[in-house]
Amino acid sequence: MSYGYPGQGYGPGSGHGYNAPGYGQQHPAPPQQPGRQHQRPPHPPPQGLDTYGYPMASGQGTGARASESHAPPPPSGSQEFGHGAPQGYTFQYSNCTGRRRALLIGINYFGQKGELRGCLNDVKNVSQFLVDYRGYKREDMVILTDDQDGPGRPTRENIIRAMQWLVADAQPNDALFLHFSGHGGRAEDLDGDEDDGYDEVIYPVDFETAGHIVDDEIHNYVVRPLKPGVRLTALFDSCHSGSVLDLPYIYSTKGILKEPNLAKEAGQGLLEAVGHYARGDIGAVASTVFSFAKTALRGNEAYEKTKRTKTSPADVVMWSGSRDDQTSADATIASEATGAMSWAFISSLKKKPEQSYIELLNNVRDVLEEKYTQKPQLSSSHPIDVNLRFIM
């Protein structure tokens, strides 16, 4: 079963996650698209919790583990963007030695159309990996799963509130981690920043009444507030997730920055036009040429707008389970239901803890290619040197 549009316990009493006793006041939300306002709970935070009603961070992280990789660590200080990024912008890599926080969301959609089986297991496996291999602590994690009620249930409101908690007061060299395993989909692009005309979305457990969460919103909540030098690593195991954080820079397995493929579009348009001409349908020839020109112009304008408005001085990297036009698999591996992308990501890093960005992208793809057609994607908030060591 795929994690497309929807139609074992890991919650209270299990010893995992966090069940906040009450919702806290929230800081003002980032700018939203018209008609997409969200209510914020009015209650004051209980003692010992932050203003979001979630646990305070307990201390510093441990940084990257030792490695056999020859990939160099990220450089320090401000870096020039280059590679077509907005002129004059700089960014800063994180060395991931500061505070660590993680938000993990798993939704099986129990009793709903399109019910999944592996998403809660994904959260369990990924959180255990973060603790055992990457220096994260349980008390610095918020886990939302749909076998919980109250603050731990992945409703639209709770997901947004938890995203705000994740990035609140983050400082340079902090390491944040966001994991989502559940249904993803597409919706009509309303602001002209998608070259294919569609936004990517995720579905909270209450999507039938509260609606989905659009990529523009996710970007506003977890990317836009970040300072230079703050690392956010995101892992999305959902359909149509290739650009679900709206990060402008997407990389191929050869380490090449992807851009709208206007040459491919032109070739397809030309072949179609020639076919119409051969059949004597002159009107269709003109229509095809006009349609191609319109599509190419829209794609290029959308790409330039995304670079102009979504490039960030922070250090945001996303690993997604599929291209925007693909589904992601709900698999059974070693007799356990799991998301294929979540499993491939942690398996690759367990096998070789330190790799370059391009090594990890290819290794994850190699793992999945044995059984699945989905193509994992690597994207970032700034141009990256893919030969640097990937740390989190």
Side-chain angles (χ1 to χ4, degrees):
M1 184 183 297
S2 64
Y3 289 9
Y5 176 77
Q8 290 158 292
Y10 194 60
S14 65
H16 303 292
Y18 178 75
N19 238 359
Y23 287 102
Q25 291 179 334
Q26 298 185 19
H27 302 313
Q32 296 296 308
Q33 296 182 27
R36 287 173 175 158
Q37 302 298 317
H38 312 293
Q39 298 297 318
R40 295 187 290 277
H43 311 297
Q47 187 175 5
L49 305 179
D50 68 8
T51 56
Y52 293 81
Y54 286 129
M56 300 291 288
S58 63
Q60 302 298 307
T62 58
R65 292 168 60 90
S67 134
E68 296 179 358
S69 174
H70 297 295
S76 60
S78 294
Q79 309 293 313
E80 294 293 334
F81 272 114
H83 297 282
Q87 188 173 5
Y89 276 62
T90 61
F91 70 95
Q92 184 178 334
Y93 286 106
S94 174
N95 61 24
C96 297
T97 57
R99 183 185 65 175
R100 284 165 137 62
R101 270 187 175 180
L103 168 61
L104 303 101
I105 305 164
I107 314 176
N108 276 351
Y109 307 90
F110 293 115
Q112 300 184 60
K113 183 180 179 181
E115 182 174 330
L116 299 172
R117 300 177 304 118
C119 301
L120 272 62
N121 287 332
D122 289 343
V123 165
K124 178 185 68 176
N125 295 334
V126 172
S127 64
Q128 192 65 51
F129 167 78
L130 293 176
V131 171
D132 291 346
Y133 290 84
R134 295 289 162 166
Y136 287 75
K137 298 179 180 180
R138 294 286 185 189
E139 57 264 34
D140 297 330
M141 295 183 180
V142 166
I143 292 176
L144 306 181
T145 51
D146 58 341
D147 59 348
Q148 302 186 72
D149 294 318
R153 189 165 180 79
T155 63
R156 190 182 201 280
E157 181 178 0
N158 286 350
I159 289 174
I160 290 171
R161 182 168 64 93
M163 287 179 173
Q164 291 176 309
W165 165 84
L166 178 66
V167 302
D169 303 318
Q171 300 299 315
N173 295 321
D174 284 355
L176 313 176
F177 191 88
L178 170 61
H179 175 229
F180 176 82
S181 180
H183 278 305
R186 310 173 87 187
E188 183 181 358
D189 175 32
L190 301 179
D191 62 358
D193 66 345
E194 301 284 350
D195 57 19
D196 60 359
Y198 292 94
D199 280 320
E200 287 64 53
V201 305
I202 59 173
Y203 291 93
V205 69
D206 61 344
F207 72 93
E208 291 181 330
T209 56
H212 51 237
I213 305 176
V214 182
D215 52 8
D216 300 278
E217 296 178 84
I218 302 172
H219 183 97
N220 283 340
Y221 281 117
V222 300
V223 179
R224 194 173 300 281
L226 297 178
K227 300 176 181 178
V230 177
R231 159 56 69 87
L232 170 65
T233 302
L235 174 61
F236 274 77
D237 199 346
S238 54
C239 293
H240 312 294
S241 56
S243 62
V244 74
L245 279 192
D246 260 1
L247 302 180
Y249 307 96
I250 303 176
Y251 288 86
S252 74
T253 51
K254 295 182 179 180
I256 298 172
L257 192 62
K258 295 182 179 181
E259 296 186 357
N261 196 341
L262 301 185
K264 180 180 178 181
E265 293 278 358
Q268 292 173 339
L270 179 61
L271 286 174
E272 189 173 343
V274 168
H276 290 312
Y277 182 80
R279 292 189 294 271
D281 191 347
I282 304 302
V285 172
S287 176
T288 299
V289 172
F290 177 78
S291 176
F292 158 70
K294 183 178 179 181
T295 299
L297 181 62
R298 181 188 66 194
N300 190 59
E301 288 179 345
Y303 179 64
E304 293 300 323
K305 179 177 180 179
T306 299
K307 286 197 299 182
R308 186 174 66 253
T309 61
K310 302 294 177 67
T311 294
S312 167
D315 190 17
V316 183
V317 174
M318 183 179 74
W319 305 89
S320 53
S322 62
R323 297 194 309 255
D324 285 342
D325 61 349
Q326 289 185 312
T327 59
S328 292
D330 193 15
T332 299
I333 299 171
S335 302
E336 179 181 75
T338 185
M341 178 60 185
S342 297
W343 169 76
F345 181 79
I346 61 178
S347 295
S348 297
L349 284 171
K350 284 180 179 179
K351 184 176 181 180
K352 187 177 182 183
E354 301 302 343
Q355 308 179 45
S356 68
Y357 290 89
I358 194 64
E359 283 180 296
L360 181 56
L361 177 60
N362 279 281
N363 286 338
V364 169
R365 282 205 177 183
D366 288 345
V367 169
L368 290 175
E369 278 183 351
E370 296 177 5
K371 294 184 178 180
Y372 309 102
T373 58
Q374 66 193 75
K375 301 294 185 184
Q377 303 291 300
L378 166 63
S379 59
S380 62
S381 60
H382 58 74
I384 56 177
D385 180 349
V386 295
N387 295 307
L388 292 176
R389 186 186 308 161
F390 170 68
I391 60 176
M392 43 182 283

Short mmCIF file of all heavy atoms in Angstrom, two decimals, residues 191-195 260 262 293-308:
data_model
loop_
_atom_site.label_atom_id
_atom_site.label_comp_id
_atom_site.label_asym_id
_atom_site.label_seq_id
_atom_site.Cartn_x
_atom_site.Cartn_y
_atom_site.Cartn_z
N ASP A 191 -0.15 30.23 -5.33
CA ASP A 191 0.71 31.42 -5.31
C ASP A 191 1.82 31.39 -6.34
O ASP A 191 2.73 32.22 -6.31
CB ASP A 191 1.30 31.63 -3.91
CG ASP A 191 2.18 30.48 -3.46
OD1 ASP A 191 2.31 29.48 -4.21
OD2 ASP A 191 2.73 30.55 -2.34
N GLY A 192 1.80 30.46 -7.28
CA GLY A 192 2.71 30.48 -8.41
C GLY A 192 4.14 30.11 -8.14
O GLY A 192 5.04 30.53 -8.87
N ASP A 193 4.40 29.28 -7.07
CA ASP A 193 5.78 28.89 -6.79
C ASP A 193 6.06 27.43 -7.10
O ASP A 193 7.08 26.89 -6.69
CB ASP A 193 6.13 29.20 -5.32
CG ASP A 193 5.34 28.36 -4.33
OD1 ASP A 193 4.32 27.74 -4.74
OD2 ASP A 193 5.72 28.32 -3.15
N GLU A 194 5.15 26.77 -7.82
CA GLU A 194 5.33 25.36 -8.17
C GLU A 194 5.41 25.22 -9.68
O GLU A 194 4.48 25.64 -10.40
CB GLU A 194 4.18 24.50 -7.63
CG GLU A 194 4.01 24.55 -6.11
CD GLU A 194 5.06 23.74 -5.39
OE1 GLU A 194 5.80 22.98 -6.04
OE2 GLU A 194 5.14 23.86 -4.15
N ASP A 195 6.51 24.63 -10.18
CA ASP A 195 6.65 24.57 -11.64
C ASP A 195 5.67 23.60 -12.30
O ASP A 195 5.44 23.67 -13.50
CB ASP A 195 8.10 24.23 -12.03
CG ASP A 195 8.60 22.93 -11.42
OD1 ASP A 195 7.77 22.11 -10.99
OD2 ASP A 195 9.83 22.75 -11.36
N PRO A 260 14.17 23.13 -13.68
CA PRO A 260 13.08 22.74 -14.57
C PRO A 260 13.62 22.25 -15.90
O PRO A 260 14.46 22.90 -16.52
CB PRO A 260 12.27 24.04 -14.74
CG PRO A 260 12.54 24.81 -13.49
CD PRO A 260 13.97 24.49 -13.13
N LEU A 262 13.33 22.24 -19.16
CA LEU A 262 12.66 22.87 -20.29
C LEU A 262 13.02 22.18 -21.61
O LEU A 262 12.21 22.16 -22.54
CB LEU A 262 13.02 24.35 -20.36
CG LEU A 262 12.66 25.16 -19.10
CD1 LEU A 262 12.97 26.64 -19.34
CD2 LEU A 262 11.20 24.98 -18.75
N ALA A 293 4.75 26.68 -24.62
CA ALA A 293 5.36 27.96 -24.23
C ALA A 293 4.82 28.42 -22.88
O ALA A 293 5.56 28.91 -22.02
CB ALA A 293 5.08 29.01 -25.30
N LYS A 294 3.52 28.23 -22.67
CA LYS A 294 2.90 28.64 -21.41
C LYS A 294 3.44 27.80 -20.25
O LYS A 294 3.77 28.32 -19.18
CB LYS A 294 1.39 28.49 -21.52
CG LYS A 294 0.64 28.95 -20.29
CD LYS A 294 -0.87 28.82 -20.50
CE LYS A 294 -1.63 29.26 -19.26
NZ LYS A 294 -3.11 29.11 -19.45
N THR A 295 3.56 26.47 -20.46
CA THR A 295 4.06 25.58 -19.41
C THR A 295 5.51 25.88 -19.08
O THR A 295 5.90 25.93 -17.91
CB THR A 295 3.92 24.11 -19.86
OG1 THR A 295 2.54 23.82 -20.10
CG2 THR A 295 4.47 23.16 -18.80
N ALA A 296 6.33 26.08 -20.10
CA ALA A 296 7.74 26.37 -19.88
C ALA A 296 7.93 27.68 -19.14
O ALA A 296 8.74 27.78 -18.21
CB ALA A 296 8.47 26.41 -21.23
N LEU A 297 7.16 28.69 -19.53
CA LEU A 297 7.26 29.99 -18.86
C LEU A 297 6.84 29.89 -17.40
O LEU A 297 7.51 30.41 -16.52
CB LEU A 297 6.40 31.01 -19.60
CG LEU A 297 6.41 32.44 -19.03
CD1 LEU A 297 7.82 33.02 -19.09
CD2 LEU A 297 5.43 33.32 -19.79
N ARG A 298 5.73 29.17 -17.15
CA ARG A 298 5.26 29.00 -15.78
C ARG A 298 6.28 28.26 -14.93
O ARG A 298 6.56 28.64 -13.79
CB ARG A 298 3.94 28.23 -15.77
CG ARG A 298 3.35 28.02 -14.37
CD ARG A 298 2.16 27.09 -14.41
NE ARG A 298 2.56 25.75 -14.80
CZ ARG A 298 1.72 24.80 -15.19
NH1 ARG A 298 0.43 25.04 -15.26
NH2 ARG A 298 2.17 23.60 -15.53
N GLY A 299 6.87 27.18 -15.50
CA GLY A 299 7.85 26.40 -14.76
C GLY A 299 9.07 27.20 -14.39
O GLY A 299 9.55 27.15 -13.26
N ASN A 300 9.59 27.98 -15.33
CA ASN A 300 10.78 28.77 -15.06
C ASN A 300 10.48 29.89 -14.07
O ASN A 300 11.27 30.17 -13.16
CB ASN A 300 11.33 29.36 -16.36
CG ASN A 300 12.69 29.99 -16.17
OD1 ASN A 300 13.64 29.32 -15.76
ND2 ASN A 300 12.80 31.28 -16.45
N GLU A 301 9.34 30.55 -14.22
CA GLU A 301 8.97 31.62 -13.30
C GLU A 301 8.76 31.08 -11.89
O GLU A 301 9.16 31.71 -10.90
CB GLU A 301 7.69 32.31 -13.79
CG GLU A 301 7.91 33.19 -15.02
CD GLU A 301 6.62 33.84 -15.48
OE1 GLU A 301 5.55 33.40 -15.02
OE2 GLU A 301 6.69 34.78 -16.29
N ALA A 302 8.15 29.89 -11.78
CA ALA A 302 7.92 29.30 -10.46
C ALA A 302 9.24 28.94 -9.79
O ALA A 302 9.42 29.16 -8.58
CB ALA A 302 7.04 28.05 -10.60
N TYR A 303 10.17 28.40 -10.57
CA TYR A 303 11.47 28.02 -10.01
C TYR A 303 12.23 29.26 -9.52
O TYR A 303 12.80 29.26 -8.43
CB TYR A 303 12.27 27.29 -11.09
CG TYR A 303 13.66 26.87 -10.65
CD1 TYR A 303 13.83 25.95 -9.62
CD2 TYR A 303 14.79 27.38 -11.27
CE1 TYR A 303 15.09 25.56 -9.22
CE2 TYR A 303 16.06 27.00 -10.88
CZ TYR A 303 16.20 26.08 -9.85
OH TYR A 303 17.46 25.70 -9.45
N GLU A 304 12.20 30.32 -10.32
CA GLU A 304 12.89 31.55 -9.91
C GLU A 304 12.22 32.16 -8.68
O GLU A 304 12.91 32.68 -7.79
CB GLU A 304 12.90 32.56 -11.07
CG GLU A 304 13.74 32.13 -12.26
CD GLU A 304 15.20 31.91 -11.88
OE1 GLU A 304 15.72 32.68 -11.04
OE2 GLU A 304 15.82 30.97 -12.42
N LYS A 305 10.90 32.08 -8.61
CA LYS A 305 10.21 32.62 -7.43
C LYS A 305 10.57 31.82 -6.19
O LYS A 305 10.78 32.39 -5.11
CB LYS A 305 8.70 32.59 -7.64
CG LYS A 305 7.93 33.13 -6.44
CD LYS A 305 6.43 33.17 -6.66
CE LYS A 305 5.72 33.72 -5.42
NZ LYS A 305 4.25 33.80 -5.61
N THR A 306 10.64 30.50 -6.31
CA THR A 306 10.99 29.66 -5.16
C THR A 306 12.39 29.99 -4.68
O THR A 306 12.64 30.11 -3.46
CB THR A 306 10.90 28.17 -5.52
OG1 THR A 306 9.55 27.87 -5.90
CG2 THR A 306 11.29 27.29 -4.35
N LYS A 307 13.36 30.15 -5.59
CA LYS A 307 14.71 30.52 -5.18
C LYS A 307 14.73 31.88 -4.50
O LYS A 307 15.43 32.08 -3.50
CB LYS A 307 15.65 30.53 -6.40
CG LYS A 307 16.03 29.14 -6.90
CD LYS A 307 17.24 29.19 -7.80
CE LYS A 307 17.02 30.03 -9.03
NZ LYS A 307 18.20 30.01 -9.93
N ARG A 308 13.93 32.80 -5.03
CA ARG A 308 13.92 34.16 -4.51
C ARG A 308 13.27 34.25 -3.14
O ARG A 308 13.71 35.02 -2.27
CB ARG A 308 13.20 35.07 -5.50
CG ARG A 308 13.25 36.55 -5.16
CD ARG A 308 12.64 37.39 -6.26
NE ARG A 308 11.21 37.15 -6.44
CZ ARG A 308 10.67 36.50 -7.45
NH1 ARG A 308 11.44 36.00 -8.41
NH2 ARG A 308 9.36 36.34 -7.54
#
